[in-house]
Amino acid sequence: MNKLVPEDNQFIYNAIAANLIEVATHRHGCCVLQRSIDHASPSQRLQLVTEIIFNSLYLVQDPFGNYVIQYILDLNDARFSEPLIRTFVGNVCSLSVQKYDFFTRVDMTVLIDRFSSNVVEKCIRVADPEVRKNLVGEVLNRSRLEKLLRDSYGNYVIQTILDYCDPAQRMIVSRPS
């Protein structure tokens, strides 16, 4: 793809965008998608990232799709990371513990839990301060906080929150019950 001009490889980007979930959730497809983003023109990159953001709540819970989400966050491009992170606002607690399973794959429930909590941790690390404050605010309810602290994956999210939240929120999280 990097040997072709954007006009000559646009059909590949159109096919990937049209089949994004299939590509992003495939063991090898997620790698192809990441390399496609690397070699994309600005408009092609926007095309793929827009589809990724649109499907982010599904992808974040997939064993391979979550790597695509993390890859977008690692691009360190606020044009992409901020709208992506905003799709998780309102879902921080459920993605941190994943007590529900969107998948029918056998024996993947435990793995799915860890995948989405990894993404939540990365979102907390890379979000701008205002968005981070919103994400952290979702767990400040005492019962939610206790649930996350007792969860095998949620506790990692709380550790990340303690490392990255603002001092006022840290006081609330650290306060004994």
Side-chain angles (χ1 to χ4, degrees), residues 93 139-150:
C93 292
V139 304
L140 295 182
N141 168 290
R142 185 52 57 187
S143 65
R144 288 181 181 170
L145 185 58
E146 289 175 6
K147 179 180 179 181
L148 291 176
L149 284 169
R150 289 188 178 98

Side-chain angles (χ1 to χ4, degrees), residues 124-125 129 132-142 145 149 157-177:
I124 291 166
R125 285 193 295 269
R132 181 182 302 123
K133 192 172 187 174
N134 291 336
L135 294 171
V136 172
E138 291 183 38
V139 304
L140 295 182
N141 168 290
R142 185 52 57 187
L145 185 58
L149 284 169
V157 172
I158 297 302
Q159 289 175 39
T160 302
I161 285 172
L162 286 169
D163 289 339
Y164 289 88
C165 69
D166 68 35
Q169 288 180 317
R170 187 175 296 111
M171 292 294 292
I172 295 169
V173 173
S174 301
R175 183 179 50 211
S177 52

Side-chain angles (χ1 to χ4, degrees), residues 31-60:
C31 298
V32 169
L33 179 53
Q34 291 173 37
R35 295 302 71 78
S36 298
I37 292 168
D38 287 342
H39 298 291
S41 70
S43 64
Q44 292 167 332
R45 180 173 291 129
L46 180 62
Q47 177 186 16
L48 294 180
V49 173
T50 299
E51 286 298 315
I52 291 166
I53 292 169
F54 181 76
N55 292 288
S56 61
L57 281 173
Y58 184 85
L59 296 176
V60 72

Side-chain angles (χ1 to χ4, degrees), residues 28-167:
H28 302 297
C30 68
C31 298
V32 169
L33 179 53
Q34 291 173 37
R35 295 302 71 78
S36 298
I37 292 168
D38 287 342
H39 298 291
S41 70
S43 64
Q44 292 167 332
R45 180 173 291 129
L46 180 62
Q47 177 186 16
L48 294 180
V49 173
T50 299
E51 286 298 315
I52 291 166
I53 292 169
F54 181 76
N55 292 288
S56 61
L57 281 173
Y58 184 85
L59 296 176
V60 72
Q61 299 169 78
D62 182 80
F64 303 110
N66 86 90
Y67 289 114
V68 173
I69 298 295
Q70 291 184 58
Y71 183 79
I72 300 303
L73 294 171
D74 287 336
L75 290 175
N76 294 318
D77 187 333
R79 295 173 304 154
F80 302 142
S81 59
E82 292 307 320
L84 177 61
I85 292 169
R86 289 180 198 281
T87 66
F88 303 130
V89 171
N91 296 288
V92 170
C93 292
S94 59
L95 292 173
S96 297
V97 298
Q98 280 300 289
K99 292 303 179 194
Y100 53 91
D101 183 7
F102 279 83
F103 302 100
T104 57
R105 299 177 188 172
V106 179
D107 297 324
M108 294 303 285
T109 306
V110 173
L111 294 175
I112 292 166
D113 296 353
R114 186 62 188 148
F115 294 140
S116 58
S117 67
N118 279 338
V119 173
V120 171
E121 289 175 56
K122 186 165 284 198
C123 287
I124 291 166
R125 285 193 295 269
V126 303
D128 74 37
E130 196 57 39
V131 175
R132 181 182 302 123
K133 192 172 187 174
N134 291 336
L135 294 171
V136 172
E138 291 183 38
V139 304
L140 295 182
N141 168 290
R142 185 52 57 187
S143 65
R144 288 181 181 170
L145 185 58
E146 289 175 6
K147 179 180 179 181
L148 291 176
L149 284 169
R150 289 188 178 98
D151 185 80
S152 56
Y153 304 111
N155 75 80
Y156 289 106
V157 172
I158 297 302
Q159 289 175 39
T160 302
I161 285 172
L162 286 169
D163 289 339
Y164 289 88
C165 69
D166 68 35

